[in-house]
Amino acid sequence: MSRSDPTSTNAATTSFASAAAAAPDSLLTVHSVDLLKSKDGPNRREHRTGAYFSDKLIVRRGQTFQMWIELSRPFNRKSDNLQLQLKSFVTTGIRISVPLVDELEDNRWEMKIVEQKDNRIRLLVNTLPTASIGRYVITVESFSPKGKLLFPCTPNDLYLLFNPWCEADPVFLDDEAERKEYVLNSMGRIYYGTERQIGARTWNYAQFEQDILEASLFLLERGRVAMTEWRDPVIVSRMISALVNSNDDRGVLVGNWSDSYVGGTSPTAWSGSGDILRQFFKSGGNPVKFAQCWVYAGVTTSVLRCLGIPTRCVSNFSSAHDTDLSLTTDIYIDEELELIKDLTNDSVWNFHVWNESWMTRPDLPTGYGGWQVVDATPQEPSQGSYRCGPTPVSAVRNGQVDLKFDTPFVFAEVNSDRIYWQKKPDGSFSQISVEKNSIGQRISTKAVGSEERMDITHLYKYPEGSEEERIAVETASRFGSRPTLYPSPTDNDVSVEIVIDGAGPHIGEDAKLSIVLKNKSSKQRTASLLYEVLVMYYTGVLKTTVKKDQISVNLKPQETKTIPWTLQYKDYMSHLVDQGALMLTLTGRVNQTKQILATRFNFRLRTPDLIITPLDGAVVGKELTVKITFQNPLSQVLKNVLFRIEGLGMQSVRKIAYGDVEKLATVTLMEKFVPTVSGSQKLLASMDCRQLTQVHGFTDIVVKTK
């Protein structure tokens, strides 16, 4: 075609117009993809990932992200289709298909078109809150009547992280100030010294700096754990505790507790994690020299915060190292009171630094979620590898050392008795002295939002010398290598249980339970019971203590005694979370036999039902009025109340943003429906707001034909 020939030009224009007219039936080609990955763009702003140095798309799971796709022609919703394929960067990883749908649903990989401009469409992509974290390659698949095409989005990789802002993610943390501190703060304080002379140093976690995200994922790839397991923060944190030390898997750091650091950097010289992780990553995984406990803890904090798991450094002063699982710190001396060095293997460190990470523990009984000890300093092997945790702090506090992982070791670090043993002439040893309050002092972490030190010893153990603390020590010792170290009960003839009447208490009312004690012996028994009531998330994470007290009990021979127990509404009203779950724990000791009594009872406060009443007969095609009634059971205002109604043959959910409901007020909705299908139907309704959840109701409606 000649450029100067106007006839040819007109013909070409006509030909192009004809092709455009036929566009709806032509092959659908992807021309370009924009992942909106700029640091100040909507995706990284909404996902709180704008601080990462990387220019990739970095998002948190369980949350939607946006993307634009430019196509060869306008998208035809009737005959065209699109699908995303996400393939993990790890060779033996996973593939995820993301279908195009009309409406997004929670807990699914899905996407929907939210805007269409000529050949361009904007997609909203929903991610799974339990998806495996990591790096993914994105491919767009286009479908049209003419066939299917693939468009690789290289180099537009997707980095998916844990999401403490998402309630469905096991690492969800409900306090914004804590999320900012334990995920987004790149500077911290690490405490060292002695319990009487606590020093502090500032540490640069550098979790958002260049190469740190890549180094953290590189570390996971070396963990010899399938990427399908990367969805679980329990497994990921345990893996990182092994990989930050190099003792048996060529991890990040080489430990050195000598006074010579030739060939490396003195542990005291490091002031942050960035250089360490970059050196490890750029060398292809050569361990970095050298580290001691605070360096291991600093690097672990960096990696876990980088991946989205709330994490903090914790320092324990007078920290015991139990080498024989006795759950005591044992010191052996001879008949001349000289230390027997080859037997005294247990030690007490002036201080030891580890980490705590926040997560649920669905692998354990209810109540052990929350802060978990994760320790990368190589002290003792765990299941064949130098690692420690995650260990539930609440289990350590109660001496529940039978719960995984590594709870006996952590318990001994913070609450073991220091026992002195003297050798006797026959070669055996006798206990000559016990120090019950020297181990685990002034356990410290940086306070939220300030540079101050926060003492968290109370999270690890009850007050030294208290009955609760002694019960925890003796409970733990039963699982150690010396289970008979402390006096065993002479009898186990008293039982305790907690019972609830009927279906249980309603929210907004006092909660009434009963404590039932049975004396199965022919002698009198007395006991002192300590109880604690805690508010709990449905995931098993404990939020706070709402009441704590003591009960004295006197049991006659063969007596069964029922003690009424009440939790008043005013004590719990300002503390409840999600589904009104509470836990009552009881511990105590029978004075005559030294039997330990312990039990825990989970209960929930029942929510009111929605009352749904049809006001007349239901007939196909005829308007039906239904009354929905709800009474606020709380002496507080419900904010931003939302009602949802579905069923009765409706093709979508009807949402009613009601607004606020005054305390103890009754709400009546009059809703109109036109049934389209005859027969027995259900109409469902639910009410939701921040202060009150799990309110719902239904009614059966028989729809007659005209």
Side-chain angles (χ1 to χ4, degrees):
M1 180 181 71
S2 168
R3 292 183 180 275
S4 59
D5 184 352
T7 307
S8 299
T9 303
N10 291 339
T13 303
T14 304
S15 174
F16 179 78
S18 300
D25 297 322
S26 63
L27 202 61
L28 185 67
T29 306
V30 176
H31 280 181
S32 66
V33 173
D34 182 0
L35 293 178
L36 302 173
K37 60 184 182 177
S38 65
K39 295 180 182 181
D40 57 353
N43 284 332
R44 292 185 59 170
R45 183 175 63 250
E46 291 167 10
H47 287 255
R48 301 166 182 85
T49 59
Y52 287 88
F53 179 87
S54 172
D55 62 358
K56 304 294 185 184
L57 175 60
I58 304 169
V59 297
R60 300 187 187 276
R61 64 186 192 174
Q63 200 171 329
T64 58
F65 67 89
Q66 305 174 48
M67 60 187 290
W68 280 96
I69 296 180
E70 184 178 0
L71 301 164
S72 56
R73 57 171 174 77
F75 184 81
N76 186 332
R77 296 182 184 233
K78 292 182 179 179
S79 58
D80 297 332
N81 201 358
L82 290 171
Q83 185 166 272
L84 294 186
Q85 292 291 342
L86 274 60
K87 181 180 180 298
S88 63
F89 199 74
V90 179
T91 308
T92 56
I94 52 182
R95 292 176 181 268
I96 299 167
S97 295
V98 186
L100 186 66
V101 297
D102 293 328
E103 291 297 330
L104 298 179
E105 293 187 30
D106 291 338
N107 300 318
R108 292 188 180 184
W109 281 102
E110 293 176 336
M111 61 181 180
K112 66 178 284 189
I113 297 173
V114 291
E115 188 177 353
Q116 187 165 354
K117 291 182 178 179
D118 300 325
N119 292 5
R120 300 176 72 229
I121 56 173
R122 182 163 63 92
L123 294 168
L124 195 63
V125 183
N126 201 31
T127 62
L128 198 64
T130 53
S132 291
I133 64 163
R135 178 181 174 188
Y136 291 88
V137 177
I138 302 176
T139 300
V140 181
E141 292 184 350
S142 62
F143 303 86
S144 67
K146 294 291 185 180
K148 164 184 163 183
L149 289 175
L150 300 179
F151 182 83
C153 296
T154 52
N156 292 323
D157 297 337
L158 166 76
Y159 288 81
L160 192 64
L161 307 178
F162 291 107
N163 192 352
W165 285 266
C166 173
E167 293 190 18
D169 194 310
V171 302
F172 170 67
L173 187 58
D174 73 344
D175 186 286
E176 178 63 14
E178 291 186 351
R179 291 190 292 245
K180 288 180 177 177
E181 181 68 52
Y182 300 135
V183 182
L184 301 181
N185 194 353
S186 60
M187 290 287 176
R189 302 276 277 174
I190 298 178
Y191 299 94
Y192 64 94
T194 69
E195 63 203 74
R196 293 182 181 85
Q197 295 173 298
I198 296 178
R201 61 179 301 161
T202 300
W203 191 268
N204 179 15
Y205 296 125
Q207 71 265 37
F208 304 124
E209 290 185 6
Q210 185 173 5
D211 296 325
I212 302 305
L213 176 56
E214 292 81 358
S216 300
L217 293 175
F218 171 70
L219 193 58
L220 279 183
E221 291 170 20
R222 295 168 66 88
R224 300 190 297 275
V225 172
M227 190 179 172
T228 51
E229 302 293 346
W230 295 13
R231 68 184 186 278
D232 187 348
V234 174
I235 293 174
V236 168
S237 60
R238 184 158 174 78
M239 190 162 46
I240 292 300
S241 80
L243 292 166
V244 168
N245 70 69
S246 64
N247 280 42
D248 41 31
D249 43 27
R250 288 188 60 78
V252 179
L253 284 159
V254 178
N256 187 339
W257 282 265
S258 72
D259 56 1
S260 173
Y261 306 109
V262 176
T265 300
S266 166
T268 56
W270 301 112
S271 58
S273 308
D275 282 351
I276 295 169
L277 287 166
R278 274 188 290 270
Q279 185 177 327
F280 177 75
F281 176 55
K282 291 182 177 180
S283 70
N286 288 328
V288 178
K289 301 175 181 179
F290 290 106
Q292 290 181 14
C293 64
W294 65 91
V295 185
Y296 287 115
V299 171
T300 300
T301 299
S302 303
V303 172
L304 293 178
R305 284 190 186 181
C306 181
L307 298 176
I309 300 177
T311 302
R312 62 189 185 185
C313 283
V314 172
S315 298
N316 178 37
F317 294 91
S318 293
S319 185
H321 180 172
D322 177 25
T323 57
D324 62 359
L325 295 178
S326 65
L327 279 75
T328 56
T329 303
D330 300 303
I331 298 169
Y332 295 88
I333 58 177
D334 61 21
E335 296 167 71
E336 306 299 323
L337 304 183
E338 294 284 341
L339 181 69
I340 305 176
K341 293 181 180 178
D342 59 344
L343 289 181
T344 306
N345 296 315
D346 294 349
S347 59
V348 179
W349 298 17
N350 281 347
F351 73 98
H352 180 47
V353 187
W354 58 66
N355 299 96
E356 286 177 0
S357 293
W358 182 272
M359 65 193 72
T360 62
R361 288 300 300 270
D363 56 324
L364 296 179
T366 303
Y368 293 103
W371 288 116
Q372 312 287 315
V373 171
V374 177
D375 191 352
T377 300
Q379 295 185 85
E380 296 292 328
S382 171
Q383 296 178 329
S385 178
Y386 279 93
R387 56 188 168 183
C388 181
T391 308
V393 173
S394 56
V396 174
R397 186 172 189 247
N398 291 305
Q400 298 293 332
V401 297
D402 54 324
L403 300 176
K404 60 185 180 182
F405 294 91
D406 309 306
T407 314
F409 186 80
V410 178
F411 179 89
E413 288 182 299
V414 300
N415 205 14
S416 57
D417 287 347
R418 183 183 288 178
I419 300 181
Y420 292 83
W421 302 86
Q422 185 175 29
K423 191 173 185 179
K424 296 195 293 188
D426 64 1
S428 63
F429 286 85
S430 62
Q431 209 182 115
I432 60 168
S433 178
V434 180
E435 294 178 2
K436 295 183 177 180
N437 57 3
S438 62
I439 301 299
Q441 302 293 315
R442 303 185 73 179
I443 303 173
S444 304
T445 191
K446 177 185 175 298
V448 173
S450 82
E451 301 300 307
E452 298 301 310
R453 182 184 70 87
M454 181 169 65
D455 193 300
I456 56 171
T457 309
H458 64 284
L459 298 181
Y460 282 85
K461 54 184 179 179
Y462 295 99
E464 291 286 4
S466 66
E467 184 71 358
E468 300 107 309
E469 187 263 346
R470 284 292 91 195
I471 288 173
V473 170
E474 293 178 28
T475 299
S477 73
R478 305 277 186 263
F479 296 93
S481 57
R482 291 199 187 95
T484 59
L485 179 62
Y486 297 96
S488 297
T490 55
D491 275 302
N492 288 284
D493 48 26
V494 176
S495 66
V496 61
E497 67 173 332
I498 301 167
V499 296
I500 195 166
D501 293 332
H506 285 86
I507 195 167
E509 303 173 352
D510 294 347
K512 297 181 179 180
L513 286 74
S514 298
I515 301 169
V516 180
L517 293 115
K518 294 181 181 179
N519 179 8
K520 303 169 191 172
S521 78
S522 56
K523 298 178 180 178
Q524 180 173 319
R525 297 287 185 245
T526 59
S528 181
L529 293 177
L530 307 151
Y531 73 78
E532 186 174 10
V533 193
L534 303 107
V535 170
M536 186 171 65
Y537 295 94
Y538 78 95
T539 55
V541 175
L542 300 175
K543 183 193 177 190
T544 189
T545 297
V546 295
K547 189 177 181 182
K548 192 175 180 181
D549 208 345
Q550 190 166 326
I551 304 171
S552 295
V553 181
N554 192 337
L555 295 171
K556 297 175 183 176
Q558 302 296 326
E559 181 184 10
T560 297
K561 179 171 283 188
T562 300
I563 302 172
W565 180 89
T566 301
L567 175 65
Q568 294 185 322
Y569 171 62
K570 66 180 178 64
D571 290 330
Y572 71 75
M573 63 174 287
S574 60
H575 298 289
L576 284 185
V577 291
D578 50 44
Q579 300 183 23
L582 294 154
M583 174 187 287
L584 172 60
T585 67
L586 276 177
T587 56
R589 192 195 302 271
V590 178
N591 296 322
Q592 291 80 6
T593 63
K594 305 307 178 188
Q595 176 191 351
I596 292 174
L597 303 173
T599 188
R600 50 174 50 195
F601 185 77
N602 300 332
F603 64 101
R604 71 176 182 88
L605 299 165
R606 296 174 58 212
T607 50
D609 294 328
L610 296 182
I611 307 302
I612 305 174
T613 309
L615 297 186
D616 40 41
V619 179
V620 171
K622 181 182 175 183
E623 189 175 82
L624 168 68
T625 302
V626 174
K627 181 170 75 170
I628 302 173
T629 307
F630 160 70
Q631 181 174 12
N632 178 8
L634 303 182
S635 299
Q636 61 186 109
V637 177
L638 304 182
K639 299 283 189 181
N640 301 317
V641 169
L642 176 68
F643 289 91
R644 297 169 185 262
I645 306 170
E646 59 185 298
L648 203 62
M650 291 190 293
Q651 298 305 303
S652 61
V653 176
R654 183 180 299 182
K655 298 178 182 178
I656 303 168
Y658 187 86
D660 297 347
V661 176
E662 293 299 314
K663 58 183 180 182
L664 303 176
T666 298
V667 171
T668 300
L669 301 178
M670 305 295 285
E671 292 297 310
K672 298 183 184 301
F673 306 89
V674 178
T676 57
V677 180
S678 63
S680 180
Q681 309 270 346
K682 275 185 166 56
L683 184 67
L684 318 179
S686 67
M687 188 285 301
D688 189 61
C689 67
R690 194 66 189 168
Q691 298 83 8
L692 188 63
T693 62
Q694 292 283 40
V695 177
H696 42 76
F698 78 95
T699 189
D700 290 302
I701 298 176
V702 177
V703 181
K704 298 178 181 179
T705 56
K706 288 184 179 181

